[in-house]
Amino acid sequence: MMNLAPAELGDLSRLLRLEWLETNGLGSYAMGTVAGANTRRYHGLLCAAVRPPVDRRMMLQTLEVEVRSNGERFPLSTHLYGETVHPDGWTRLIGFRLDPWPVWTYRAGSMVIEQAVFMPHGRNATVVHYTCLEAEHPLSMCNRVLLAPRDHHHLGCACVDFEMDVEMHDGEPTLVTEGYPPLTLQIVGGDFWPSSDWYYRFTYPEEQARGLDYTEDLYTPGEIGWTLRAGETATLIASTEGPLSESVEELIQTERARREALVAGVAEEDEVARRLFVAADQFVVARPDQGPTAKSTIAGYPWFGDWGRDSMIAFHGLLLSTGRFEEARGVLRAYAAAMEDGLIPNLFSEEGGGAAYNTVDATLWMFVAAKRYYERTGDLDFIRDELLDRLVWAVTLHMQGTRYDIRMDEDGLLIAGDESTQLTWMDAKVGDWVVTPRHGKAVEINALWYSAVRTLEFFARKLDRDYAKYARLARRIKESFVREFWSEELGYCYDCVRGEEKDASLRPNQILALALPYSLLSVDQERSVLRVVTEKLLTPYGLRTLSPEDPAYRGQYEGDPVSRDGAYHQGTVWPWLLGPYLSAYFVLSNRSPESKKWVRELVQPLLDHLGGPGLGQLPEVFDGDPPHRPGGCPAQAWSVAALLRIWVDTQLGDVS
């Protein structure tokens, strides 16, 4: 359980920065701030994945809540309208905790009201549950429904042709808007009163800071009212699948038990692991279009869908370190089934149709995921029966050549793309501007290529298949890699090679050559790389994407989309890179007790960040310059996965 200190509750600016997140395992989510005001276009009580886990629609943005007793009215809500904060419900907040979902406690005169919000797993629904803890007299509670059904990336506005039908069934409304799933408002113990109107110009400051449109109009179809006494409860269930058959108590008990089961094997005193296990759960989603057992990973909330690269990089931490082997098989199964021309998807379409394959590394990361899955489980049957043929196909197509000019060169190294493409993880592009050009032979791509070939050799040996051709190719790749990428003068690897042109930019990509299952460099070379990366790129929150000494370095990730994309991989810090960095460090330090203590101290700032701004989560990026402000997605899968793997697999919880 996470509690905010009383002193934190009186600072509105801080409450607006602290964000909570609820997910349902289908890609749907609910998200907002502790203050209660929405500060992003993505904040809302129900954003439902119409084609799980994508095609997400914002169905219910917020509620305006007020309690009334003895002629007095006490707003519990907070909204932002330009510089105006109205109502002032945040001033009545006397407690906030994650237990295990967000719970607010308000004092309104002599009344104390508790509000809880959670999503039942596997259901496109959000439960808003109120408990009257204290009240001298009966009170009435009013919830005004505020919404504007839309794609979650866009904003709504009042318009004369907006139509929403309110269909009443047994006293409960279903809101019907053309092009969107019906929204059922299941009211337990209360009544609904239709009352159509618009509320104008809600302001979302996080969107304004990102250089995007930041105001929205919301429609109200009516109000919901309850009468409560001390000890009584009231509940609203917003759902796109009709009324839920379970009682409120069943929903609460089932979801609480499910979340407790996530940490059943974790020691009570290891609060870090318990938080990370719960954080990891929020990213794992079903992908039913790939089969009934298929799974995937949402790259980040609130705006990312499920990406192949992110799913494979986060695979170890989210699924193996947490012992979720069935879901691990489901992820490998889903992406293997979606493979085309030897490539797994870069991402599945957000609209739910098709996939994009513009990536050179996602498929290669799948080999790493498969090898680590086998090392954890010994499950060779799954590799043989469901994965091996796809892995063979992928290597064959990479050797022969496939989409986006991804092909093996004469020296055995992998070459990919051209001046117009961005196929590696450093993929920012603005119009025709490829911000970080890395076409040709990129260092981590060829480390991954070598690892993929060696992994296929490993499985072929295990299964008594022909492995000699893979062994020969692996030797050729290793010889070429050292010759092309290693610089004795620099003491580290070139980042990218294009013929005679060698990019000496100091970036963290080469650290992967040290952290993957198969080594390419000598121990002395690895130590040199680690030393340089530590001196120039390491920060308390991860690795910079470019050395501050480089003229192209950008130390702050801020501003409009062009400004942010221009800094995305030009100095911005990425926490996920701590995973491979510390894997390499542990190997080279022989996992000594001293090294574990140093690592424990190193990751402490990230551990502290679990307390906010993204409560219980870790963000996508931080500024390259101190004080390293967080930015990007407030909840990022591979950031959580990296810390989880470090914490669990190296037993940092045992280090004092």
Side-chain angles (χ1 to χ4, degrees):
M1 184 170 69
M2 181 185 300
N3 277 287
L4 290 189
E8 298 179 89
L9 301 176
D11 183 350
L12 178 59
S13 63
R14 175 162 172 75
L15 296 182
L16 290 171
R17 292 194 302 270
L18 294 175
E19 297 177 88
W20 56 269
L21 172 68
E22 279 288 299
T23 65
N24 70 344
L26 297 175
S28 307
Y29 65 86
M31 191 176 186
T33 69
V34 173
N38 291 344
T39 60
R40 301 183 189 271
R41 68 184 66 205
Y42 301 97
H43 284 166
L45 288 172
L46 178 59
C47 185
V50 176
R51 298 181 181 90
V54 291
D55 197 3
R56 286 168 288 187
R57 314 290 182 89
M58 187 63 72
M59 300 301 301
L60 175 60
Q61 274 88 339
T62 189
L63 301 168
E64 186 150 290
V65 185
E66 185 177 81
V67 292
R68 304 163 185 168
S69 182
N70 279 349
E72 292 186 284
R73 303 159 70 103
F74 300 93
L76 303 186
S77 301
T78 301
H79 305 307
L80 304 179
Y81 301 93
E83 298 299 317
T84 301
V85 180
H86 178 81
D88 63 350
W90 72 275
T91 63
R92 297 175 181 86
L93 188 62
I94 61 171
F96 179 87
R97 66 187 189 274
L98 297 181
D99 183 28
W101 40 73
V103 181
W104 293 258
T105 306
Y106 296 93
R107 180 175 293 281
S110 63
M111 301 168 285
V112 177
I113 308 295
E114 193 170 82
Q115 172 186 287
V117 174
F118 72 93
M119 299 190 81
H121 195 73
R123 314 297 294 273
N124 264 328
T126 297
V127 179
V128 183
H129 184 63
Y130 299 97
T131 304
C132 179
L133 299 178
E134 297 178 19
E136 294 179 0
H137 309 283
L139 63 89
S140 61
M141 173 180 286
C142 175
N143 278 12
R144 178 165 289 281
V145 179
L146 293 167
L147 47 78
R150 57 173 171 82
D151 172 275
H152 77 146
H153 293 304
H154 300 94
L155 293 173
C157 64
C159 51
V160 294
D161 59 350
F162 177 84
E163 293 184 6
M164 174 179 284
D165 293 330
V166 180
E167 300 177 356
M168 299 298 296
H169 304 279
D170 297 326
E172 295 181 332
T174 294
L175 311 178
V176 181
T177 306
E178 184 177 357
Y180 294 87
L183 178 67
T184 297
L185 301 179
Q186 193 171 347
I187 304 163
V188 181
D191 299 293
F192 177 78
W193 301 291
S195 176
S196 175
D197 207 347
W198 283 94
Y199 282 46
Y200 298 97
R201 300 191 67 77
F202 289 82
T203 302
Y204 304 142
E206 290 295 329
E207 303 303 313
Q208 184 177 13
R210 297 171 68 221
L212 301 173
D213 295 342
Y214 59 92
T215 61
E216 178 166 50
D217 304 329
L218 297 180
Y219 175 76
T220 176
E223 294 182 341
I224 301 166
W226 295 270
T227 299
L228 295 175
R229 295 173 177 79
E232 294 183 339
T233 62
T235 307
L236 167 64
I237 304 173
S239 168
T240 61
E241 45 184 81
L244 304 191
S245 59
E246 302 93 330
S247 69
V248 175
E249 291 73 21
E250 288 174 325
L251 292 170
I252 292 173
Q253 291 171 8
T254 299
E255 185 57 23
R256 186 174 291 276
R258 190 193 73 84
R259 300 194 194 193
E260 289 174 353
L262 294 173
V263 296
V266 182
E268 286 284 345
E269 62 272 16
D270 193 348
E271 183 60 30
V272 170
R274 298 175 75 85
R275 286 189 183 184
L276 289 172
F277 273 52
V278 172
D281 177 67
Q282 295 191 303
F283 300 103
V284 182
V285 293
R287 179 155 273 286
D289 64 329
Q290 298 301 122
T293 62
K295 298 289 183 179
S296 190
T297 301
I298 294 295
Y301 288 99
W303 53 75
F304 286 123
D306 53 335
W307 290 59
R309 174 189 299 119
D310 298 63
S311 292
M312 297 305 153
I313 290 176
F315 182 88
H316 189 137
L318 296 188
L319 301 172
L320 300 184
S321 297
T322 56
R324 301 177 70 149
F325 303 131
E326 182 177 349
E327 288 99 330
R329 288 190 294 275
V331 168
L332 293 171
R333 185 178 290 126
Y335 281 92
M339 186 180 286
E340 291 186 8
D341 295 331
L343 300 173
I344 68 168
N346 184 28
L347 74 159
F348 290 98
S349 170
E350 180 69 21
E351 287 72 36
Y357 291 83
N358 56 327
T359 170
V360 64
D361 55 346
T363 309
L364 303 177
W365 276 109
M366 187 170 72
F367 285 80
V368 179
K371 179 72 175 347
R372 288 175 175 163
Y373 169 79
Y374 171 75
E375 290 171 345
R376 281 300 181 99
T377 66
D379 184 2
L380 195 59
D381 291 343
F382 173 75
I383 301 296
R384 180 192 60 231
D385 297 341
E386 300 195 46
L387 215 56
L388 186 63
D389 287 347
R390 291 284 172 164
L391 299 181
V392 170
W393 186 37
V395 166
T396 301
L397 267 292
H398 280 66
M399 293 171 66
Q400 295 174 355
T402 185
R403 302 182 188 184
Y404 298 98
D405 200 26
I406 299 170
R407 56 185 171 82
M408 187 176 73
D409 205 0
E410 294 178 356
D411 58 6
L413 296 178
L414 207 61
I415 191 168
D418 57 31
E419 294 87 347
S420 66
T421 56
Q422 73 286 16
L423 304 179
T424 76
W425 81 276
M426 292 186 166
D427 58 357
K429 186 177 182 180
V430 181
D432 294 330
W433 175 35
V434 176
V435 179
T436 309
R438 302 190 69 238
H439 59 284
K441 300 172 183 176
V443 63
E444 86 280 11
I445 300 305
N446 280 284
L448 284 161
W449 172 232
Y450 175 71
S451 185
V453 173
R454 288 292 305 274
T455 295
L456 198 50
E457 176 196 351
F458 172 82
F459 286 138
R461 287 177 183 269
K462 285 285 183 182
L463 295 166
D464 293 325
R465 307 284 181 90
D466 178 17
Y467 63 84
K469 58 183 177 182
Y470 303 121
R472 288 193 299 271
L473 177 56
R475 287 193 294 270
R476 183 150 61 109
I477 295 170
K478 185 171 184 177
E479 291 170 0
S480 298
F481 183 93
V482 175
R483 182 180 64 251
E484 291 294 315
F485 287 100
W486 176 252
S487 170
E488 194 67 38
E489 179 182 359
L490 295 172
Y492 60 84
C493 290
Y494 293 109
D495 187 63
C496 199
V497 175
R498 288 182 285 273
E500 297 301 314
E501 178 188 351
K502 297 193 174 186
D503 183 356
S505 302
L506 178 55
R507 297 186 182 276
N509 302 304
Q510 61 191 297
I511 205 73
L512 297 176
L514 282 61
L516 291 169
Y518 298 99
S519 177
L520 281 157
L521 302 174
S522 69
V523 172
D524 286 343
Q525 290 169 336
E526 289 182 339
R527 291 188 187 279
S528 181
V529 167
L530 191 67
R531 176 183 55 78
V532 174
V533 168
T534 302
E535 290 177 356
K536 304 298 183 182
L537 303 181
L538 182 64
T539 76
Y541 298 100
L543 300 185
R544 294 185 178 96
T545 41
L546 186 63
S547 168
E549 297 176 355
D550 195 297
Y553 172 79
R554 296 276 300 276
Q556 294 183 319
Y557 179 78
E558 61 184 5
D560 63 20
V562 174
S563 177
R564 284 181 282 114
D565 282 342
Y568 208 33
H569 303 109
Q570 296 294 99
T572 298
V573 171
W574 291 73
W576 82 265
L577 293 167
L578 270 184
Y581 171 83
L582 290 175
S583 293
Y585 171 78
F586 272 119
V587 170
L588 293 173
S589 65
N590 296 316
R591 295 180 177 267
S592 66
E594 293 75 17
S595 69
K596 291 179 70 171
K597 289 182 179 179
W598 180 79
V599 170
R600 180 67 172 78
E601 295 173 358
L602 175 66
V603 301
Q604 188 59 51
L606 274 182
L607 299 181
D608 294 341
H609 203 84
L610 287 169
L615 294 168
Q617 281 288 352
L618 293 176
E620 181 184 13
V621 296
F622 292 85
D623 282 350
D625 289 345
H628 305 295
R629 296 172 307 168
C633 241
Q636 193 78 3
W638 57 14
S639 298
V640 171
L643 185 55
L644 215 165
R645 183 185 173 197
I646 293 164
W647 187 265
V648 173
D649 292 9
T650 57
Q651 299 178 320
L652 290 184
D654 297 335
V655 179
S656 59

